[in-house]
Amino acid sequence: MSFPSSTDARPAEPARPAAPPKRPSAPGPGPAPGRRALFERLGPLPWLAPAIVLILGVVVWPVVEMVATSLRKIDTTGTDHGPAGLVKYRKLFGDPRLAGVLTWTVVWTVVVVGLTMLISLALAQLFNRNFPGRRVTRWALVAPWAASVLMTAIGFRWMLDQVAGVFNRLLLDLGLIDRSQAWLGDAAHAKPWLVLVAVFVSLPFTTYTLLAGLQTIPEEVHEAARVDGATPWQTYRKVTLPLLRPAFLVGLVINLINVFNSFPVIWGMTQGGPNADTATTTVFMYMLRGYDVAESAAMSVVNFVVVVLMVAVFLKVSRWNGEEGR
């Protein structure tokens, strides 16, 4: 007779109920689909918006106000007497001083920028070499850049003063002149000094821009030129200058704009006189504001258009866009 085992005697376990189907999880926090689609359509615009607002507020709005002011009748007290059309432009172009101002502005810009670029090229080439005292001379070159341009101009004006100027005293002590000269009293003597001071304050930025460009040129390029038998002048002209072209163009364009719109040097030394003979368009614009605000605004519009055309023509001639696209 057989007995059931303990395993057979264990009661059967009840069947477990089937697990309920899982519900889809609720979406986490995040932008709604419609908002996400809107951001995708906007692209980079939200990130560019602050820069666009800044440009509109700092560049576009002043230009619009400048043009609007040039078309109004505004007296010296600032009272607006209504629209004037193109009356102020006709008055401006009928001013007998304007031709001389425009001519001197062109000469001033070409001479100052040309001398600045040539001297800066030489200084950058010098500072790119190792020589005793290089660090000290680099620091010394920063001084005209660190000082206020207006302060520098006033300092030169005092130095050239006919009565108390140290320059006249030096020339008298050396016997080079018989009596003190009014170096800033007429345009013939004042213009060379204006150019000298403008070049003096423009050298630091331009030199360091070109020096940065020179330091990006690999030394292996110059070594390859020397191995090929190129002379130092051929290496500089055929290798260094073409590779320096981007930095040279940056310095040239910025100098063209800065020198064309230069105000502190001329105003601090001669205030555009005598009779606007040393005034550029920017200084002449400031001189006009004393008795006709709208005409001064018209001069500002002309100045702005000339700057835009000058930069556009220069970039076209230098084929900047073509070089960047390669």
Side-chain angles (χ1 to χ4, degrees):
M1 181 173 161
S2 63
F3 295 93
S5 64
S6 60
T7 305
D8 297 334
R10 184 181 301 170
E13 294 180 1
R16 295 181 180 179
K22 293 183 179 181
R23 295 181 179 180
S25 58
R35 187 178 301 175
R36 188 184 302 114
L38 176 61
F39 276 111
E40 290 177 356
R41 286 197 299 268
L42 290 176
L45 185 59
W47 311 105
L48 298 176
I52 295 174
V53 172
L54 181 64
I55 292 173
L56 290 175
V58 175
V59 178
V60 177
W61 179 72
V63 171
V64 172
E65 284 294 318
M66 179 176 64
V67 175
T69 302
S70 68
L71 301 175
R72 310 291 294 180
K73 293 179 181 177
I74 303 176
D75 58 25
T76 54
T77 63
T79 305
D80 190 345
H81 297 281
L86 299 178
V87 171
K88 300 302 178 181
Y89 289 92
R90 288 194 290 267
K91 181 181 177 182
L92 173 65
F93 288 111
D95 194 319
R97 299 172 296 176
L98 183 61
V101 168
L102 292 175
T103 302
W104 167 236
T105 302
V106 174
V107 174
W108 158 266
T109 304
V110 172
V111 172
V112 172
V113 173
L115 290 176
T116 299
M117 298 306 299
L118 288 176
I119 299 174
S120 296
L121 272 174
L123 289 175
Q125 193 69 31
L126 173 65
F127 290 153
N128 197 40
R129 298 180 178 274
N130 291 320
F131 60 89
R134 183 178 69 164
R135 180 176 298 180
V136 176
T137 54
R138 283 186 175 184
W139 290 346
L141 185 64
V142 178
W145 195 9
S148 166
V149 177
L150 182 60
M151 182 183 72
T152 303
I154 293 175
F156 271 90
R157 186 185 70 192
W158 289 345
M159 183 185 73
L160 298 171
D161 186 76
Q162 185 175 7
V163 178
V166 296
F167 186 70
N168 272 313
R169 174 52 54 190
L170 175 63
L171 295 182
L172 286 171
D173 291 343
L174 293 175
L176 298 178
I177 57 175
D178 298 329
R179 56 188 178 86
S180 297
Q181 300 288 329
W183 299 104
L184 302 178
D186 60 276
H189 289 92
K191 286 180 178 181
W193 284 105
L194 293 174
V195 170
L196 175 66
V197 176
V199 172
F200 176 71
V201 299
S202 301
L203 283 177
F205 167 79
T206 313
T207 300
Y208 277 103
T209 300
L210 297 178
L211 179 60
L214 285 174
Q215 293 181 343
T216 62
I217 301 175
E219 185 60 29
E220 293 80 4
V221 177
H222 296 98
E223 292 179 0
R226 286 193 292 269
V227 170
D228 290 340
T231 63
W233 170 243
Q234 289 174 334
T235 302
Y236 187 75
R237 187 167 56 91
K238 300 281 188 170
V239 177
T240 304
L241 286 182
L243 294 176
L244 192 61
R245 187 173 184 271
F248 186 89
L249 289 178
V250 169
L252 185 58
V253 171
I254 293 178
N255 270 293
L256 281 172
I257 297 174
N258 286 343
V259 173
F260 183 84
N261 291 309
S262 180
F263 177 81
V265 171
I266 297 177
W267 189 258
M269 294 182 69
T270 65
Q271 295 188 351
N275 193 31
D277 289 340
T278 60
T280 59
T281 53
T282 304
V283 177
F284 189 58
M285 170 193 68
Y286 191 75
M287 295 171 65
L288 291 174
R289 67 85 177 80
Y291 53 88
D292 197 330
V293 176
E295 186 179 355
S296 176
M299 186 71 249
S300 301
V301 174
V302 174
N303 214 33
F304 177 76
V305 172
V306 171
V307 169
V308 172
L309 291 177
M310 180 177 61
V311 174
V313 170
F314 174 77
L315 295 180
K316 181 68 175 179
V317 171
S318 64
R319 295 181 297 178
W320 181 306
N321 295 329
E323 289 293 326
E324 291 292 331
R326 290 181 184 178

